[in-house]
Amino acid sequence: MSAHCQLTGREPAFGNAISHSHRRTRRRFDPNIQRKRYWLPSEGRYVRLTLSAKGKTVDVIGIEAAVARIRARGEKV
């Protein structure tokens, strides 16, 4: 599963891990990705979305609007 949010497009960020001796090594900051299943009444089926915890605004905007945004970004649902 790739670490990106289907709704917001959040992806991993990259930076440095700094040790106690101040040596720097590259590291990766992954978003908090969760898989959630929603009922899509217009199509009469469930859809499984990969969302970041911040992208779980589906409960606020509604599943129909969220799926419309995801499809507008060019992703398959």
Side-chain angles (χ1 to χ4, degrees):
M1 175 171 75
S2 82
H4 84 280
C5 177
Q6 287 181 301
L7 186 60
T8 61
R10 268 176 108 79
E11 292 180 329
F14 296 90
N16 289 315
I18 302 179
S19 69
H20 181 70
S21 64
H22 219 65
R23 290 183 59 121
R24 292 174 172 89
T25 54
R26 296 301 284 178
R27 63 160 290 183
R28 175 175 157 145
F29 295 92
D30 284 326
N32 184 2
I33 297 294
Q34 308 291 325
R35 288 185 59 117
K36 182 92 166 100
R37 194 174 82 145
Y38 291 98
W39 173 252
L40 191 58
S42 64
E43 297 182 16
R45 67 184 182 104
Y46 283 100
V47 292
R48 191 175 297 265
L49 300 178
T50 305
L51 302 171
S52 64
K54 194 172 235 182
K56 283 193 181 177
T57 58
V58 174
D59 299 331
V60 177
I61 65 173
I63 184 62
E64 300 290 342
V67 168
R69 281 189 198 177
I70 292 169
R71 287 183 174 149
R73 292 182 69 238
E75 290 196 39
K76 185 179 168 190
V77 178

